[in-house]
């Protein structure tokens, strides 16, 4: 049977070094997964990980060595950066044990969980879903994906975001409250993971606002950096 409208395109993230592309299935995000960020958001203590999602086409692909253009989204006056280690799932599954979880990872990338913080806060206050704060177009900028085998040090790597050259976020991936393996175990108890899924693993402290004209540079040791310019 023929499609009655053009089929939606599958977003594809380039693999670092030009070695192909990673088609995106779903985007999962982990909330409050670094202690100091949980504190700056008004929470304390270790809580079970919780998740939200962005649509696959929220991906903003930025090619290796290029600066992407991030359109300032509508309805907000408080667009926040959240720099995150992104996990790219190569092998699906459900009820994956933590000890088996890393075998499901294809690779890693630098990503930003862009957030309309004013809208998210309003939804929190009203007990409503976060979608309008988190799941808008281009809300998931991502750099090229590096194969897992090429970054053995990724689980305790420096993670840093600069805005206009000024250091805003600085931590280590080893400070994740729930490790990549534990996140995969928890996620796969609730959803069946599939090849092409991306997991934004949470942001360290130092989140803050950006405005049109700002230049963002996100780095995680061992991965291709993510460079963006916010445009009106
Ligand atoms: Mn986040």
């Amino acid at each position: 049977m023929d499609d009655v409208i053009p089929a939606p395109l599958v977003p594809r993230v380039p693999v670092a070094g030009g070695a192909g592309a990673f088609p995106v299935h779903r985007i999962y995000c982990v909330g409050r997964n670094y202690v100091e960020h949980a504190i700056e958001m008004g929470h304390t203590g270790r809580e079970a990980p919780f998740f939200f999602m962005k649509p696959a086409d929220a991906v903003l692909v930025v090619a290796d060595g290029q600066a992407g253009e991030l359109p300032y989204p509508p309805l907000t006056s408080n667009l926040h950066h959240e720099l995150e280690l992104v996990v790219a799932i190569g092998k699906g599954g459900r009820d994956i044990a933590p000890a088996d979880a890393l075998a499901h990872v294809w690779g890693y990338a630098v990503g930003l969980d862009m957030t309309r913080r004013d809208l998210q806060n309003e939804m929190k206050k009203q007990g409503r879903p976060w979608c309008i704060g988190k799941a808008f177009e281009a809300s998931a900028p991502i750099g090229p994906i590096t194969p897992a085998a090429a970054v053995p040090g990724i689980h305790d790597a420096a993670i840093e975001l600069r805005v206009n050259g000024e250091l805003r976020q600085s931590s280590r991936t080893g400070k994740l409250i729930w490790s990549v393996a534990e996140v995969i175990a928890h996620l796969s108890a609730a959803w069946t993971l599939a090849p092409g899924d991306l997991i934004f693993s949470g942001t360290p402290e130092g989140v803050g606002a950006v405005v049109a004209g700002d230049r963002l540079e996100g780095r995680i040791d061992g991965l291709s950096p993510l460079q963006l310019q916010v445009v009106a």
Side-chain angles (χ1 to χ4, degrees):
M1 218 178 295
D2 291 333
D3 292 340
V4 297
I5 55 165
L9 293 173
V10 174
R12 285 181 162 73
V13 180
V15 169
F22 183 92
V24 180
H25 176 242
R26 292 179 181 165
I27 304 175
Y28 296 98
C29 303
V30 187
R32 298 194 288 266
N33 203 17
Y34 287 80
V35 170
E36 298 299 321
H37 175 62
I39 291 170
E40 77 181 351
M41 299 306 282
H43 298 265
T44 55
R46 197 183 205 223
E47 55 187 351
F50 68 94
F51 307 102
F52 58 92
M53 295 176 79
K54 296 179 187 253
D57 66 358
V59 158
L60 173 65
V61 171
V62 181
D64 227 342
Q66 309 264 304
E69 289 200 337
L70 174 67
Y72 197 94
L75 302 182
T76 185
S77 53
N78 196 17
L79 177 66
H80 271 206
H81 54 75
E82 295 192 358
L83 181 66
E84 310 202 359
L85 171 65
V86 180
V87 181
I89 296 294
K91 189 174 95 180
R94 52 182 297 188
D95 293 324
I96 299 165
D100 302 328
L102 296 183
H104 292 256
V105 176
W106 193 89
Y108 298 94
V110 177
L112 280 160
D113 166 17
M114 298 305 297
T115 302
R116 295 192 281 209
R117 190 73 73 200
D118 40 4
L119 299 182
Q120 183 201 22
N121 286 344
E122 185 58 29
M123 293 299 110
K124 278 185 186 175
K125 206 186 319 173
Q126 297 189 29
R128 291 179 177 171
W130 290 7
C131 313
I132 199 168
K134 287 289 196 179
F136 51 94
E137 285 107 37
S139 61
I142 184 170
I145 297 174
T146 297
V151 277
I154 198 64
H155 301 291
D156 189 21
I159 176 169
E160 286 187 351
L161 178 77
R162 286 182 164 74
V163 178
N164 302 325
E166 177 198 332
L167 191 62
R168 289 271 189 97
Q169 295 190 266
S170 177
S171 187
R172 299 192 68 82
T173 58
K175 291 187 172 181
L176 281 169
I177 296 171
W178 297 94
S179 70
V180 170
E182 290 170 326
V183 163
I184 290 170
H186 276 91
L187 258 183
S188 68
W191 290 274
T192 301
L193 294 182
D197 287 342
L198 297 176
I199 305 169
F200 281 63
S201 60
T203 193
E205 66 276 17
V207 300
V210 292
V211 295
D214 281 349
R215 287 176 296 105
L216 285 70
E217 183 173 20
R219 289 184 172 273
I220 299 175
D221 270 0
L223 303 180
S224 295
L226 172 60
Q227 297 185 75
L228 291 172
Q229 173 125 31
V230 184
V231 297

